[in-house]
Amino acid sequence: MRTNFDFTPYRRSTVGFDRLFDLLETNARTDAADGYPPFDIMRDGEDSFCITLAVAGFRPDEIEVVAQQNQLTVTGKRADDQDRGEYLHRGIAARPFERRFQLADFIEAGSARFENGLLSIELKRVVPEAMRPRKIEIGGGTPANDRIAGPTDQSREAA
């Protein structure tokens, strides 16, 4: 079964959607290549979200969370285990990882917490005041005959 999709015909017939197609192609490649570490995305409210990554075997100081523009990057790299002895079986994944999340406009990363092998990152939609809908008050109506006199109207009245 074919897992990738060719957006070339759509790119030729659309204008201004290049970023969208790039995101779709990048996301398809990244998700198909590696599902590590597993994660959940949960909506906490209308404007708040939480991403939880299962990072068993990592300590908080071995994980880095970076929010830049519309992208959240979580990177993990374990320290060397040379002092701990010889492993007979290694079932806990300890390989380095980098997981990227594309964030929608006005989504900001907040706090991050590490508990019981789970890394939770709080996200919140913060719409600037200028972009928020605002209610416009409707004033009292004035009769149609009343109008503001312009310069040509004033010159007629003087004549």
Side-chain angles (χ1 to χ4, degrees):
M1 182 172 146
R2 187 174 173 180
T3 58
N4 58 354
F5 189 81
D6 185 18
F7 291 105
T8 306
Y10 299 107
R11 285 181 186 269
R12 286 190 298 245
S13 62
T14 59
V15 176
F17 290 95
D18 292 335
R19 182 170 179 257
L20 174 66
F21 293 131
D22 290 343
L23 289 173
L24 289 170
E25 288 172 347
T26 302
N27 194 26
R29 267 182 287 168
T30 314
D31 287 348
D34 189 15
Y36 179 75
F39 66 92
D40 291 336
I41 300 177
M42 183 175 74
R43 180 189 296 260
D44 288 336
E46 187 171 324
D47 289 332
S48 59
F49 308 88
C50 181
I51 296 176
T52 304
L53 289 98
V55 289
F58 286 86
R59 295 189 315 260
D61 61 333
E62 298 171 331
I63 299 173
E64 181 180 48
V65 180
V66 177
Q68 182 179 1
Q69 292 180 342
N70 287 3
Q71 188 169 43
L72 179 71
T73 305
V74 182
T75 309
K77 182 172 169 69
R78 283 190 59 182
D80 292 333
D81 291 338
Q82 294 175 355
D83 298 341
R84 296 191 179 178
E86 181 183 348
Y87 283 94
L88 300 177
H89 171 74
R90 191 159 205 166
I92 298 173
R95 65 183 188 262
F97 69 87
E98 181 175 275
R99 175 67 79 170
R100 295 177 185 263
F101 299 93
Q102 285 296 132
L103 303 177
D105 291 336
F106 312 120
I107 298 290
E108 294 180 4
S111 62
R113 66 182 187 280
F114 187 88
E115 188 175 343
N116 299 326
L118 297 174
L119 174 67
S120 297
I121 304 164
E122 303 293 326
L123 304 171
K124 186 149 184 85
R125 182 187 328 268
V126 180
V127 180
E129 190 65 37
M131 301 293 289
R132 290 185 183 164
R134 59 186 172 97
K135 186 173 184 175
I136 299 173
E137 295 295 325
I138 300 173
T142 56
N145 296 354
D146 292 348
R147 34 177 240 179
I148 300 174
T152 55
D153 293 336
Q154 289 174 355
S155 62
R156 281 187 213 148
E157 290 175 10

mmCIF file of all heavy atoms in Angstrom, residues 103-141:
data_model
loop_
_atom_site.group_PDB
_atom_site.id
_atom_site.type_symbol
_atom_site.label_atom_id
_atom_site.label_comp_id
_atom_site.label_asym_id
_atom_site.label_seq_id
_atom_site.Cartn_x
_atom_site.Cartn_y
_atom_site.Cartn_z
ATOM 1 N N LEU A 103 2.366 23.801 15.585
ATOM 2 C CA LEU A 103 1.329 24.465 16.359
ATOM 3 C C LEU A 103 0.562 25.434 15.474
ATOM 4 O O LEU A 103 1.145 26.089 14.611
ATOM 5 C CB LEU A 103 1.950 25.225 17.539
ATOM 6 C CG LEU A 103 2.799 24.401 18.497
ATOM 7 C CD1 LEU A 103 3.399 25.301 19.568
ATOM 8 C CD2 LEU A 103 1.990 23.280 19.120
ATOM 9 N N ALA A 104 -0.723 25.523 15.703
ATOM 10 C CA ALA A 104 -1.554 26.450 14.952
ATOM 11 C C ALA A 104 -1.222 27.880 15.371
ATOM 12 O O ALA A 104 -0.542 28.115 16.377
ATOM 13 C CB ALA A 104 -3.032 26.156 15.211
ATOM 14 N N ASP A 105 -1.700 28.834 14.605
ATOM 15 C CA ASP A 105 -1.486 30.234 14.950
ATOM 16 C C ASP A 105 -2.066 30.525 16.325
ATOM 17 O O ASP A 105 -3.132 30.004 16.694
ATOM 18 C CB ASP A 105 -2.145 31.148 13.914
ATOM 19 C CG ASP A 105 -1.448 31.079 12.576
ATOM 20 O OD1 ASP A 105 -0.252 30.718 12.549
ATOM 21 O OD2 ASP A 105 -2.098 31.378 11.555
ATOM 22 N N PHE A 106 -1.366 31.347 17.080
ATOM 23 C CA PHE A 106 -1.758 31.827 18.403
ATOM 24 C C PHE A 106 -1.714 30.751 19.486
ATOM 25 O O PHE A 106 -2.221 30.966 20.578
ATOM 26 C CB PHE A 106 -3.145 32.490 18.384
ATOM 27 C CG PHE A 106 -3.320 33.491 17.284
ATOM 28 C CD1 PHE A 106 -4.292 33.326 16.325
ATOM 29 C CD2 PHE A 106 -2.487 34.588 17.191
ATOM 30 C CE1 PHE A 106 -4.452 34.240 15.302
ATOM 31 C CE2 PHE A 106 -2.636 35.503 16.169
ATOM 32 C CZ PHE A 106 -3.621 35.339 15.227
ATOM 33 N N ILE A 107 -1.129 29.580 19.217
ATOM 34 C CA ILE A 107 -0.955 28.559 20.252
ATOM 35 C C ILE A 107 0.411 28.784 20.892
ATOM 36 O O ILE A 107 1.423 28.848 20.191
ATOM 37 C CB ILE A 107 -1.038 27.127 19.685
ATOM 38 C CG1 ILE A 107 -2.404 26.864 19.069
ATOM 39 C CG2 ILE A 107 -0.719 26.094 20.749
ATOM 40 C CD1 ILE A 107 -3.538 26.759 20.073
ATOM 41 N N GLU A 108 0.428 28.922 22.207
ATOM 42 C CA GLU A 108 1.667 29.151 22.941
ATOM 43 C C GLU A 108 1.900 28.011 23.914
ATOM 44 O O GLU A 108 0.969 27.541 24.574
ATOM 45 C CB GLU A 108 1.599 30.469 23.699
ATOM 46 C CG GLU A 108 1.530 31.682 22.800
ATOM 47 C CD GLU A 108 1.463 32.978 23.579
ATOM 48 O OE1 GLU A 108 1.539 32.946 24.834
ATOM 49 O OE2 GLU A 108 1.334 34.031 22.940
ATOM 50 N N ALA A 109 3.157 27.580 24.000
ATOM 51 C CA ALA A 109 3.527 26.547 24.965
ATOM 52 C C ALA A 109 3.661 27.186 26.334
ATOM 53 O O ALA A 109 4.232 28.265 26.474
ATOM 54 C CB ALA A 109 4.834 25.890 24.550
ATOM 55 N N GLY A 110 3.127 26.502 27.323
ATOM 56 C CA GLY A 110 3.200 27.001 28.690
ATOM 57 C C GLY A 110 4.169 26.167 29.496
ATOM 58 O O GLY A 110 5.302 25.928 29.085
ATOM 59 N N SER A 111 3.708 25.658 30.601
ATOM 60 C CA SER A 111 4.571 24.900 31.499
ATOM 61 C C SER A 111 4.714 23.453 31.027
ATOM 62 O O SER A 111 3.888 22.935 30.288
ATOM 63 C CB SER A 111 3.996 24.923 32.909
ATOM 64 O OG SER A 111 2.726 24.299 32.938
ATOM 65 N N ALA A 112 5.794 22.836 31.481
ATOM 66 C CA ALA A 112 6.036 21.413 31.205
ATOM 67 C C ALA A 112 6.324 20.745 32.539
ATOM 68 O O ALA A 112 6.996 21.312 33.402
ATOM 69 C CB ALA A 112 7.204 21.240 30.250
ATOM 70 N N ARG A 113 5.794 19.540 32.716
ATOM 71 C CA ARG A 113 6.066 18.801 33.959
ATOM 72 C C ARG A 113 6.366 17.351 33.627
ATOM 73 O O ARG A 113 5.868 16.802 32.642
ATOM 74 C CB ARG A 113 4.928 18.954 34.956
ATOM 75 C CG ARG A 113 3.630 18.355 34.557
ATOM 76 C CD ARG A 113 2.532 18.594 35.612
ATOM 77 N NE ARG A 113 1.360 17.854 35.256
ATOM 78 C CZ ARG A 113 0.479 18.229 34.356
ATOM 79 N NH1 ARG A 113 0.644 19.376 33.739
ATOM 80 N NH2 ARG A 113 -0.552 17.486 34.063
ATOM 81 N N PHE A 114 7.195 16.753 34.463
ATOM 82 C CA PHE A 114 7.651 15.380 34.273
ATOM 83 C C PHE A 114 7.225 14.581 35.496
ATOM 84 O O PHE A 114 7.610 14.907 36.615
ATOM 85 C CB PHE A 114 9.174 15.367 34.125
ATOM 86 C CG PHE A 114 9.732 14.036 33.760
ATOM 87 C CD1 PHE A 114 9.856 13.668 32.440
ATOM 88 C CD2 PHE A 114 10.129 13.142 34.728
ATOM 89 C CE1 PHE A 114 10.381 12.441 32.083
ATOM 90 C CE2 PHE A 114 10.646 11.912 34.393
ATOM 91 C CZ PHE A 114 10.777 11.556 33.068
ATOM 92 N N GLU A 115 6.415 13.551 35.267
ATOM 93 C CA GLU A 115 5.910 12.764 36.386
ATOM 94 C C GLU A 115 5.655 11.329 35.924
ATOM 95 O O GLU A 115 4.991 11.107 34.913
ATOM 96 C CB GLU A 115 4.607 13.400 36.879
ATOM 97 C CG GLU A 115 4.076 12.808 38.146
ATOM 98 C CD GLU A 115 2.843 13.559 38.654
ATOM 99 O OE1 GLU A 115 2.592 14.697 38.219
ATOM 100 O OE2 GLU A 115 2.136 12.985 39.479
ATOM 101 N N ASN A 116 6.206 10.372 36.661
ATOM 102 C CA ASN A 116 6.001 8.943 36.388
ATOM 103 C C ASN A 116 6.347 8.542 34.954
ATOM 104 O O ASN A 116 5.640 7.761 34.328
ATOM 105 C CB ASN A 116 4.559 8.531 36.706
ATOM 106 C CG ASN A 116 4.199 8.742 38.152
ATOM 107 O OD1 ASN A 116 5.042 8.594 39.035
ATOM 108 N ND2 ASN A 116 2.960 9.105 38.404
ATOM 109 N N GLY A 117 7.425 9.089 34.409
ATOM 110 C CA GLY A 117 7.855 8.733 33.066
ATOM 111 C C GLY A 117 7.062 9.398 31.958
ATOM 112 O O GLY A 117 7.222 9.056 30.791
ATOM 113 N N LEU A 118 6.197 10.343 32.310
ATOM 114 C CA LEU A 118 5.395 11.063 31.320
ATOM 115 C C LEU A 118 5.756 12.540 31.345
ATOM 116 O O LEU A 118 5.792 13.160 32.414
ATOM 117 C CB LEU A 118 3.903 10.898 31.600
ATOM 118 C CG LEU A 118 3.346 9.482 31.527
ATOM 119 C CD1 LEU A 118 1.897 9.466 31.967
ATOM 120 C CD2 LEU A 118 3.486 8.923 30.121
ATOM 121 N N LEU A 119 6.019 13.090 30.186
ATOM 122 C CA LEU A 119 6.291 14.517 30.043
ATOM 123 C C LEU A 119 5.021 15.175 29.514
ATOM 124 O O LEU A 119 4.529 14.805 28.446
ATOM 125 C CB LEU A 119 7.447 14.754 29.077
ATOM 126 C CG LEU A 119 7.745 16.204 28.730
ATOM 127 C CD1 LEU A 119 8.264 16.942 29.962
ATOM 128 C CD2 LEU A 119 8.742 16.280 27.589
ATOM 129 N N SER A 120 4.478 16.126 30.264
ATOM 130 C CA SER A 120 3.252 16.828 29.859
ATOM 131 C C SER A 120 3.583 18.286 29.585
ATOM 132 O O SER A 120 4.210 18.952 30.405
ATOM 133 C CB SER A 120 2.193 16.741 30.947
ATOM 134 O OG SER A 120 1.827 15.398 31.159
ATOM 135 N N ILE A 121 3.144 18.772 28.433
ATOM 136 C CA ILE A 121 3.387 20.155 28.033
ATOM 137 C C ILE A 121 2.036 20.821 27.825
ATOM 138 O O ILE A 121 1.216 20.359 27.033
ATOM 139 C CB ILE A 121 4.210 20.213 26.735
ATOM 140 C CG1 ILE A 121 5.513 19.434 26.918
ATOM 141 C CG2 ILE A 121 4.480 21.654 26.336
ATOM 142 C CD1 ILE A 121 6.207 19.103 25.630
ATOM 143 N N GLU A 122 1.806 21.891 28.566
ATOM 144 C CA GLU A 122 0.548 22.629 28.477
ATOM 145 C C GLU A 122 0.621 23.618 27.313
ATOM 146 O O GLU A 122 1.622 24.307 27.133
ATOM 147 C CB GLU A 122 0.287 23.401 29.770
ATOM 148 C CG GLU A 122 0.255 22.533 31.010
ATOM 149 C CD GLU A 122 -0.909 21.575 31.039
ATOM 150 O OE1 GLU A 122 -1.995 21.930 30.528
ATOM 151 O OE2 GLU A 122 -0.738 20.464 31.571
ATOM 152 N N LEU A 123 -0.445 23.685 26.536
ATOM 153 C CA LEU A 123 -0.553 24.626 25.419
ATOM 154 C C LEU A 123 -1.814 25.442 25.588
ATOM 155 O O LEU A 123 -2.823 24.936 26.077
ATOM 156 C CB LEU A 123 -0.603 23.881 24.083
ATOM 157 C CG LEU A 123 0.546 22.939 23.771
ATOM 158 C CD1 LEU A 123 0.235 22.134 22.521
ATOM 159 C CD2 LEU A 123 1.828 23.708 23.593
ATOM 160 N N LYS A 124 -1.762 26.698 25.177
ATOM 161 C CA LYS A 124 -2.930 27.565 25.308
ATOM 162 C C LYS A 124 -3.038 28.436 24.066
ATOM 163 O O LYS A 124 -2.043 28.925 23.561
ATOM 164 C CB LYS A 124 -2.795 28.438 26.548
ATOM 165 C CG LYS A 124 -4.016 29.259 26.842
ATOM 166 C CD LYS A 124 -4.151 29.472 28.325
ATOM 167 C CE LYS A 124 -5.413 30.201 28.673
ATOM 168 N NZ LYS A 124 -6.546 29.350 28.793
ATOM 169 N N ARG A 125 -4.268 28.609 23.606
ATOM 170 C CA ARG A 125 -4.523 29.520 22.481
ATOM 171 C C ARG A 125 -4.664 30.929 23.060
ATOM 172 O O ARG A 125 -5.520 31.187 23.898
ATOM 173 C CB ARG A 125 -5.795 29.139 21.733
ATOM 174 C CG ARG A 125 -6.071 30.010 20.532
ATOM 175 C CD ARG A 125 -7.418 29.746 19.873
ATOM 176 N NE ARG A 125 -7.883 28.388 19.946
ATOM 177 C CZ ARG A 125 -7.651 27.448 19.024
ATOM 178 N NH1 ARG A 125 -6.938 27.737 17.979
ATOM 179 N NH2 ARG A 125 -8.129 26.239 19.174
ATOM 180 N N VAL A 126 -3.791 31.825 22.621
ATOM 181 C CA VAL A 126 -3.804 33.209 23.092
ATOM 182 C C VAL A 126 -3.988 34.100 21.868
ATOM 183 O O VAL A 126 -3.042 34.365 21.138
ATOM 184 C CB VAL A 126 -2.486 33.563 23.826
ATOM 185 C CG1 VAL A 126 -2.528 34.998 24.314
ATOM 186 C CG2 VAL A 126 -2.248 32.605 24.982
ATOM 187 N N VAL A 127 -5.206 34.532 21.654
ATOM 188 C CA VAL A 127 -5.519 35.366 20.499
ATOM 189 C C VAL A 127 -5.279 36.824 20.884
ATOM 190 O O VAL A 127 -5.788 37.281 21.914
ATOM 191 C CB VAL A 127 -6.983 35.162 20.050
ATOM 192 C CG1 VAL A 127 -7.314 36.025 18.845
ATOM 193 C CG2 VAL A 127 -7.237 33.699 19.733
ATOM 194 N N PRO A 128 -4.486 37.570 20.106
ATOM 195 C CA PRO A 128 -4.239 38.980 20.420
ATOM 196 C C PRO A 128 -5.552 39.766 20.444
ATOM 197 O O PRO A 128 -6.508 39.430 19.739
ATOM 198 C CB PRO A 128 -3.346 39.469 19.287
ATOM 199 C CG PRO A 128 -2.810 38.245 18.636
ATOM 200 C CD PRO A 128 -3.774 37.142 18.907
ATOM 201 N N GLU A 129 -5.565 40.804 21.245
ATOM 202 C CA GLU A 129 -6.779 41.615 21.407
ATOM 203 C C GLU A 129 -7.280 42.152 20.065
ATOM 204 O O GLU A 129 -8.482 42.183 19.823
ATOM 205 C CB GLU A 129 -6.483 42.780 22.364
ATOM 206 C CG GLU A 129 -7.711 43.538 22.793
ATOM 207 C CD GLU A 129 -8.673 42.696 23.624
ATOM 208 O OE1 GLU A 129 -8.220 41.878 24.431
ATOM 209 O OE2 GLU A 129 -9.903 42.871 23.451
ATOM 210 N N ALA A 130 -6.368 42.533 19.185
ATOM 211 C CA ALA A 130 -6.761 43.081 17.884
ATOM 212 C C ALA A 130 -7.448 42.038 17.006
ATOM 213 O O ALA A 130 -8.225 42.383 16.121
ATOM 214 C CB ALA A 130 -5.542 43.638 17.161
ATOM 215 N N MET A 131 -7.189 40.751 17.238
ATOM 216 C CA MET A 131 -7.767 39.694 16.420
ATOM 217 C C MET A 131 -9.066 39.136 16.995
ATOM 218 O O MET A 131 -9.767 38.391 16.321
ATOM 219 C CB MET A 131 -6.768 38.545 16.271
ATOM 220 C CG MET A 131 -5.457 38.945 15.630
ATOM 221 S SD MET A 131 -5.640 39.420 13.926
ATOM 222 C CE MET A 131 -5.966 37.848 13.179
ATOM 223 N N ARG A 132 -9.360 39.463 18.237
ATOM 224 C CA ARG A 132 -10.572 38.930 18.872
ATOM 225 C C ARG A 132 -11.808 39.626 18.325
ATOM 226 O O ARG A 132 -11.785 40.820 18.014
ATOM 227 C CB ARG A 132 -10.524 39.156 20.383
ATOM 228 C CG ARG A 132 -9.495 38.311 21.049
ATOM 229 C CD ARG A 132 -9.553 38.468 22.532
ATOM 230 N NE ARG A 132 -8.477 37.688 23.122
ATOM 231 C CZ ARG A 132 -8.057 37.841 24.340
ATOM 232 N NH1 ARG A 132 -8.601 38.734 25.125
ATOM 233 N NH2 ARG A 132 -7.074 37.107 24.790
ATOM 234 N N PRO A 133 -12.909 38.897 18.246
ATOM 235 C CA PRO A 133 -14.148 39.548 17.818
ATOM 236 C C PRO A 133 -14.575 40.569 18.873
ATOM 237 O O PRO A 133 -14.382 40.349 20.060
ATOM 238 C CB PRO A 133 -15.160 38.404 17.737
ATOM 239 C CG PRO A 133 -14.467 37.168 18.147
ATOM 240 C CD PRO A 133 -13.070 37.485 18.485
ATOM 241 N N ARG A 134 -15.086 41.670 18.429
ATOM 242 C CA ARG A 134 -15.546 42.675 19.376
ATOM 243 C C ARG A 134 -16.958 43.100 19.005
ATOM 244 O O ARG A 134 -17.330 43.123 17.837
ATOM 245 C CB ARG A 134 -14.608 43.872 19.420
ATOM 246 C CG ARG A 134 -14.440 44.583 18.118
ATOM 247 C CD ARG A 134 -13.379 45.674 18.206
ATOM 248 N NE ARG A 134 -13.115 46.196 16.897
ATOM 249 C CZ ARG A 134 -13.672 47.309 16.418
ATOM 250 N NH1 ARG A 134 -14.497 48.012 17.170
ATOM 251 N NH2 ARG A 134 -13.400 47.715 15.204
ATOM 252 N N LYS A 135 -17.706 43.393 20.024
ATOM 253 C CA LYS A 135 -19.093 43.798 19.814
ATOM 254 C C LYS A 135 -19.130 45.299 19.569
ATOM 255 O O LYS A 135 -18.523 46.067 20.302
ATOM 256 C CB LYS A 135 -19.930 43.439 21.036
ATOM 257 C CG LYS A 135 -21.380 43.676 20.852
ATOM 258 C CD LYS A 135 -22.177 43.141 22.012
ATOM 259 C CE LYS A 135 -23.648 43.320 21.746
ATOM 260 N NZ LYS A 135 -24.470 42.728 22.769
ATOM 261 N N ILE A 136 -19.840 45.701 18.540
ATOM 262 C CA ILE A 136 -19.955 47.106 18.202
ATOM 263 C C ILE A 136 -21.334 47.573 18.638
ATOM 264 O O ILE A 136 -22.351 46.994 18.236
ATOM 265 C CB ILE A 136 -19.748 47.319 16.690
ATOM 266 C CG1 ILE A 136 -18.342 46.839 16.309
ATOM 267 C CG2 ILE A 136 -19.965 48.772 16.307
ATOM 268 C CD1 ILE A 136 -18.084 46.833 14.838
ATOM 269 N N GLU A 137 -21.331 48.584 19.473
ATOM 270 C CA GLU A 137 -22.598 49.135 19.973
ATOM 271 C C GLU A 137 -23.320 49.874 18.851
ATOM 272 O O GLU A 137 -22.696 50.558 18.041
ATOM 273 C CB GLU A 137 -22.329 50.091 21.138
ATOM 274 C CG GLU A 137 -21.739 49.423 22.357
ATOM 275 C CD GLU A 137 -22.688 48.426 23.004
ATOM 276 O OE1 GLU A 137 -23.919 48.660 23.003
ATOM 277 O OE2 GLU A 137 -22.195 47.395 23.486
ATOM 278 N N ILE A 138 -24.621 49.729 18.831
ATOM 279 C CA ILE A 138 -25.442 50.401 17.825
ATOM 280 C C ILE A 138 -26.043 51.629 18.479
ATOM 281 O O ILE A 138 -26.727 51.527 19.506
ATOM 282 C CB ILE A 138 -26.547 49.462 17.305
ATOM 283 C CG1 ILE A 138 -25.901 48.227 16.681
ATOM 284 C CG2 ILE A 138 -27.444 50.195 16.323
ATOM 285 C CD1 ILE A 138 -26.894 47.165 16.290
ATOM 286 N N GLY A 139 -25.757 52.770 17.904
ATOM 287 C CA GLY A 139 -26.266 54.022 18.457
ATOM 288 C C GLY A 139 -27.688 54.289 17.983
ATOM 289 O O GLY A 139 -28.240 53.556 17.154
ATOM 290 N N GLY A 140 -28.272 55.356 18.510
ATOM 291 C CA GLY A 140 -29.623 55.734 18.118
ATOM 292 C C GLY A 140 -29.664 56.205 16.666
ATOM 293 O O GLY A 140 -28.709 56.781 16.164
ATOM 294 N N GLY A 141 -30.770 55.948 15.995
ATOM 295 C CA GLY A 141 -30.893 56.319 14.587
ATOM 296 C C GLY A 141 -31.152 57.802 14.426
ATOM 297 O O GLY A 141 -31.744 58.454 15.275
#
